[in-house]
Amino acid sequence: MTPLGTLSRDELVAFRRRIEEQYGAFRARGLHLDLTRGKPAPEQLDLSNPLLELPGWGNYRAADGSDCRNYFGDPAGLPEARVLFAPLLGATPDQVLIGDNSSLALMHDAIAYALLHGVPTPDKPGGAAPWGGGEPIAFLCPSPGYDRHFALCEGFGIRMIPIALTGEGPDLAAVERQVAADPAIKGIWCVPKYSNPTGEIYAPATIARLAAMKVAARDFRLFWDNAYAVHHLTETRHEIDSVLEACVRAGQPDRALVFASTSKITFAGAGLALMAASRANLAWFLRHAGRRSIGPDKLNQLRHVRLLQDTAGIAALMDRHRRLLAPKFRAVDETFTRLLGGAGIASWSKPAGGYFVSLDVEIGSAQRVAALAAAAGIALVPAGRTFPYGKDPHDRNLRLAPSFPPAGEVARAAEGVALAVLMAATEALLRTNDLDAAAEVA
Ligand code: PLP
């Protein structure tokens, strides 16, 4: 397609008329399509249906013989579950904690414990001053990012500082400058692989620098949410360096708290939440978590161990997810390429994994695109949601989640979104054209 910015006014008017017709016809179909939340589709959930019958009648003992129906033992989780998930977390089994079903809940609790009790530091292994005890604190928020991370900060009254992304992780120069200067900055959100929503894969140098950077706050933490560690969309299983090992190498063994879950491996509503951290961090977390609960659901841990068995078992299941998901992401890319390619008004991510496509439209038009898409029957996450406080400073980014609807519906929804993008862009270009003409007359 010819870049729209190079069309003459007459060409633009003619093009606009064609797009209006196509958009109107799309709208008249009265569709109801939803690209809002990154949920697994029912056929993905079906892959783990054996869980519904595991561990099986009378089969409730862990490898060490303990009864998973009862209160018992190590609050960090079943030893065999910790062994199973350690590689996914880039950790050793003794660094792993298995929670209930939501990693977001573990992140929430880690922040709550830090605010109330402080986190361990070399001079105060039991916990330094509570984060919430003095001046308001802040987190760095690489953006576009995960809206629920930002909602946690907002809920706790933690000031959010947006940081740009580079394609290989956050803008490190900006991160290093800010954390070195401001002791109020206690954390940074990192989704290091197949980031939500941009698909970022953190480079080894990025991980090394985050582990080693000089921070003004001695009790600073990397909130390392590796939610998509094994969620590949291509045959290449991208690997990233272990942040826990990088932190040890940098002499900062307690800097990272690593999170993940099986929400998009087995059942999103009934999986396992995972955490990995240094011995000091794990003891700290368990001390506070032990007051909150006598322990997590061990039958679910046993069930997951029986289903997944080992790293190869997880990889085999994720291959089956990939075969279901990849065509949906292809449908988005092919539709956008066909309708928007070369127009010079939008760019979108082609993620190698994860659950999202990040769509950047013309500055100042994301809200308009979302409204036009909604009018055509396509639900999108509200524009701005991928930024702290729900405010995209450039009103440019939209997050699309193609995982749940069938591939045919995803393609139709992508077509409607592309038409909305073209509508918004031609509107804006004609407006600019009119303003330029008026300025010439004046
Ligand atoms: N972290 C990221 C980056 C996510 O995208 C999501 C879900 O979309 C979650 C965490 C939620 O994880 P959980 O279901 O384990 O709470």
Side-chain angles (χ1 to χ4, degrees), residues 358-370:
S358 178
L359 172 65
D360 278 335
V361 293
E362 292 275 83
I363 287 178
S365 69
Q367 291 199 30
R368 178 67 182 143
V369 170

Side-chain angles (χ1 to χ4, degrees), residues 240-327:
I240 56 167
D241 288 350
S242 160
V243 71
L244 292 172
E245 287 173 13
C247 287
V248 169
R249 277 196 300 275
Q252 303 291 342
D254 299 327
R255 181 169 285 184
L257 301 175
V258 180
F259 303 92
S261 77
T262 69
S263 290
K264 285 153 191 163
I265 297 174
T266 58
F267 292 157
L272 295 176
L274 316 170
M275 180 173 164
S278 68
R279 191 168 299 168
N281 279 332
L282 215 58
W284 162 81
F285 189 92
L286 285 169
R287 194 165 60 251
H288 300 300
R291 297 194 189 108
R292 175 185 169 279
S293 159
I294 301 173
D297 178 346
K298 293 167 297 283
L299 279 175
N300 203 22
Q301 296 186 20
L302 190 62
R303 231 190 311 269
H304 275 77
V305 170
R306 298 273 154 85
L307 177 81
L308 299 169
Q309 300 200 5
D310 52 22
T311 298
I314 296 175
L317 177 56
M318 295 316 292
D319 278 347
R320 299 178 73 192
H321 281 285
R322 171 171 58 78
R323 283 185 215 111
L324 295 169
L325 280 171

Side-chain angles (χ1 to χ4, degrees), residues 37-38 101-105 107 146 148-149 191 195-196 225 227-228 260-264 268 272-273 355-356 399:
R37 293 239 73 98
N101 73 313
S102 163
S103 61
L104 199 64
M107 297 174 226
Y146 179 37
R148 289 182 187 268
H149 287 161
V191 183
S195 300
N196 173 356
D225 181 1
Y228 300 104
S261 77
T262 69
S263 290
K264 285 153 191 163
L272 295 176
Y355 263 62
F356 301 97
R399 184 189 82 183

Side-chain angles (χ1 to χ4, degrees), residues 356-401:
F356 301 97
V357 174
S358 178
L359 172 65
D360 278 335
V361 293
E362 292 275 83
I363 287 178
S365 69
Q367 291 199 30
R368 178 67 182 143
V369 170
L372 284 160
I378 304 157
L380 298 179
V381 167
R385 194 60 79 77
T386 51
F387 283 78
Y389 308 105
K391 289 199 188 99
D392 175 353
H394 302 296
D395 185 26
R396 181 175 54 187
N397 184 254
L398 290 162
R399 184 189 82 183
L400 312 180

Side-chain angles (χ1 to χ4, degrees), residues 103-141:
S103 61
L104 199 64
L106 293 179
M107 297 174 226
H108 170 280
D109 289 356
I111 297 176
Y113 301 150
L115 284 166
L116 291 169
H117 309 291
V119 298
T121 51
D123 52 329
K124 300 239 172 67
W131 280 1
E135 294 294 303
I137 66 157
F139 263 46
L140 298 184
C141 299

Side-chain angles (χ1 to χ4, degrees), residues 114-254:
L115 284 166
L116 291 169
H117 309 291
V119 298
T121 51
D123 52 329
K124 300 239 172 67
W131 280 1
E135 294 294 303
I137 66 157
F139 263 46
L140 298 184
C141 299
S143 307
Y146 179 37
D147 55 339
R148 289 182 187 268
H149 287 161
F150 304 154
L152 279 184
C153 281
E154 208 167 349
F156 283 123
I158 297 173
R159 181 165 57 91
M160 290 182 271
I161 304 169
I163 294 285
L165 286 161
T166 63
E168 295 193 329
D171 173 351
L172 283 174
V175 170
E176 287 166 342
R177 197 172 51 248
Q178 303 234 29
V179 295
D182 188 353
I185 299 175
K186 301 293 190 187
I188 177 172
W189 290 110
C190 296
V191 183
K193 195 197 281 191
Y194 311 140
S195 300
N196 173 356
T198 52
E200 219 90 359
I201 303 173
Y202 282 27
T206 305
I207 297 174
R209 275 171 72 177
L210 288 167
M213 66 192 177
K214 211 164 156 297
V215 293
R218 286 171 61 75
D219 49 356
F220 175 88
R221 289 294 182 274
L222 301 169
F223 276 70
W224 200 258
D225 181 1
N226 204 359
Y228 300 104
V230 289
H231 303 58
H232 317 287
L233 285 169
T234 73
E235 286 184 18
T236 308
R237 295 185 181 137
H238 291 273
E239 292 301 336
I240 56 167
D241 288 350
S242 160
V243 71
L244 292 172
E245 287 173 13
C247 287
V248 169
R249 277 196 300 275
Q252 303 291 342
D254 299 327

